[in-house]
mmCIF file of all heavy atoms in Angstrom:
data_model
loop_
_atom_site.group_PDB
_atom_site.id
_atom_site.type_symbol
_atom_site.label_atom_id
_atom_site.label_comp_id
_atom_site.label_asym_id
_atom_site.label_seq_id
_atom_site.Cartn_x
_atom_site.Cartn_y
_atom_site.Cartn_z
ATOM 1 N N MET A 157 -57.466 -113.150 66.577
ATOM 2 C CA MET A 157 -56.791 -114.103 65.704
ATOM 3 C C MET A 157 -57.745 -114.577 64.602
ATOM 4 O O MET A 157 -58.942 -114.541 64.787
ATOM 5 C CB MET A 157 -56.331 -115.290 66.543
ATOM 6 C CG MET A 157 -55.428 -116.254 65.776
ATOM 7 S SD MET A 157 -54.997 -117.610 66.876
ATOM 8 C CE MET A 157 -53.273 -117.638 66.659
ATOM 9 N N GLY A 158 -57.202 -114.946 63.473
ATOM 10 C CA GLY A 158 -58.031 -115.298 62.357
ATOM 11 C C GLY A 158 -58.643 -116.677 62.438
ATOM 12 O O GLY A 158 -58.600 -117.343 63.476
ATOM 13 N N PHE A 159 -59.246 -117.061 61.330
ATOM 14 C CA PHE A 159 -59.867 -118.382 61.203
ATOM 15 C C PHE A 159 -60.880 -118.651 62.298
ATOM 16 O O PHE A 159 -60.840 -119.670 62.961
ATOM 17 C CB PHE A 159 -58.812 -119.489 61.156
ATOM 18 C CG PHE A 159 -58.312 -119.680 59.772
ATOM 19 C CD1 PHE A 159 -57.568 -118.729 59.150
ATOM 20 C CD2 PHE A 159 -58.617 -120.818 59.053
ATOM 21 C CE1 PHE A 159 -57.115 -118.875 57.859
ATOM 22 C CE2 PHE A 159 -58.199 -120.992 57.749
ATOM 23 C CZ PHE A 159 -57.423 -120.023 57.150
ATOM 24 N N GLY A 160 -61.749 -117.703 62.437
ATOM 25 C CA GLY A 160 -62.889 -117.912 63.343
ATOM 26 C C GLY A 160 -62.604 -117.688 64.791
ATOM 27 O O GLY A 160 -63.517 -117.740 65.616
ATOM 28 N N LEU A 161 -61.339 -117.437 65.132
ATOM 29 C CA LEU A 161 -61.049 -117.207 66.542
ATOM 30 C C LEU A 161 -61.555 -115.822 66.934
ATOM 31 O O LEU A 161 -60.996 -114.817 66.476
ATOM 32 C CB LEU A 161 -59.564 -117.327 66.815
ATOM 33 C CG LEU A 161 -59.099 -118.548 67.561
ATOM 34 C CD1 LEU A 161 -57.692 -118.363 68.021
ATOM 35 C CD2 LEU A 161 -59.974 -118.902 68.730
ATOM 36 N N ASP A 162 -62.538 -115.797 67.697
ATOM 37 C CA ASP A 162 -63.103 -114.508 68.127
ATOM 38 C C ASP A 162 -62.306 -114.032 69.336
ATOM 39 O O ASP A 162 -62.293 -114.689 70.371
ATOM 40 C CB ASP A 162 -64.581 -114.733 68.455
ATOM 41 C CG ASP A 162 -65.277 -113.416 68.818
ATOM 42 O OD1 ASP A 162 -64.561 -112.429 68.940
ATOM 43 O OD2 ASP A 162 -66.500 -113.478 69.011
ATOM 44 N N GLU A 163 -61.706 -112.877 69.208
ATOM 45 C CA GLU A 163 -60.863 -112.376 70.310
ATOM 46 C C GLU A 163 -61.689 -112.111 71.574
ATOM 47 O O GLU A 163 -61.175 -112.103 72.667
ATOM 48 C CB GLU A 163 -60.112 -111.130 69.883
ATOM 49 C CG GLU A 163 -58.958 -111.480 68.972
ATOM 50 C CD GLU A 163 -58.326 -110.284 68.284
ATOM 51 O OE1 GLU A 163 -58.466 -109.175 68.821
ATOM 52 O OE2 GLU A 163 -57.738 -110.464 67.222
ATOM 53 N N SER A 164 -62.966 -111.840 71.349
ATOM 54 C CA SER A 164 -63.812 -111.552 72.508
ATOM 55 C C SER A 164 -64.212 -112.829 73.239
ATOM 56 O O SER A 164 -64.668 -112.790 74.372
ATOM 57 C CB SER A 164 -65.068 -110.824 72.055
ATOM 58 O OG SER A 164 -65.825 -111.678 71.215
ATOM 59 N N ASP A 165 -63.971 -113.974 72.576
ATOM 60 C CA ASP A 165 -64.325 -115.243 73.196
ATOM 61 C C ASP A 165 -63.200 -115.718 74.084
ATOM 62 O O ASP A 165 -62.187 -116.223 73.667
ATOM 63 C CB ASP A 165 -64.567 -116.282 72.096
ATOM 64 C CG ASP A 165 -65.023 -117.635 72.663
ATOM 65 O OD1 ASP A 165 -65.175 -117.687 73.915
ATOM 66 O OD2 ASP A 165 -65.245 -118.556 71.881
ATOM 67 N N ASP A 166 -63.326 -115.474 75.404
ATOM 68 C CA ASP A 166 -62.218 -115.793 76.306
ATOM 69 C C ASP A 166 -62.320 -117.200 76.864
ATOM 70 O O ASP A 166 -61.490 -117.602 77.667
ATOM 71 C CB ASP A 166 -62.133 -114.746 77.465
ATOM 72 C CG ASP A 166 -63.479 -114.614 78.202
ATOM 73 O OD1 ASP A 166 -64.407 -115.356 77.843
ATOM 74 O OD2 ASP A 166 -63.569 -113.748 79.105
ATOM 75 N N LYS A 167 -63.269 -117.956 76.418
ATOM 76 C CA LYS A 167 -63.405 -119.325 76.920
ATOM 77 C C LYS A 167 -62.573 -120.235 76.020
ATOM 78 O O LYS A 167 -62.995 -120.729 74.992
ATOM 79 C CB LYS A 167 -64.880 -119.754 76.884
ATOM 80 C CG LYS A 167 -65.166 -121.009 77.676
ATOM 81 C CD LYS A 167 -66.582 -121.391 77.563
ATOM 82 C CE LYS A 167 -66.836 -122.759 78.208
ATOM 83 N NZ LYS A 167 -68.217 -123.221 77.952
#
Side-chain angles (χ1 to χ4, degrees):
Chain A
M157 189 181 229
F159 275 67
L161 252 193
D162 184 353
E163 285 168 24
S164 63
D165 184 1
D166 54 2
K167 194 181 173 187

